[in-house]
Amino acid sequence: MIVIVDYGMGNVGSIANMLKKIGAQATLSADTYQIASADKLILPGVGAFDSCMQGLQARNLIPVLNE
């Protein structure tokens, strides 16, 4: 399962559409269980790294991503 990590930033819609266009199934999620269970993760990039880290921390996603 491919999970696009939803931390409130990045153009997740564009990523989801691109994956759909190539026939890949992906889930958009901030759920730590789904993230930990994923075969592949996509962490959308942003130009503002500090804001990105704040979004990940606010959703308590840093520990699961470190695993």
Side-chain angles (χ1 to χ4, degrees), residues 6-29:
D6 182 8
Y7 59 100
M9 302 195 80
N11 191 349
V12 295
S14 176
I15 294 169
N17 287 337
M18 180 269 309
L19 291 170
K20 184 178 179 181
K21 184 173 183 168
I22 64 169
Q25 293 184 348
T27 301
L28 176 63
S29 181

Side-chain angles (χ1 to χ4, degrees), residues 6-9 43 46 48-63 65:
D6 182 8
Y7 59 100
M9 302 195 80
L43 184 61
V46 297
F49 184 75
D50 289 339
S51 297
C52 166
M53 292 305 295
Q54 289 172 1
L56 290 170
Q57 188 170 12
R59 290 164 178 81
N60 196 34
L61 296 178
I62 294 173
L65 292 172

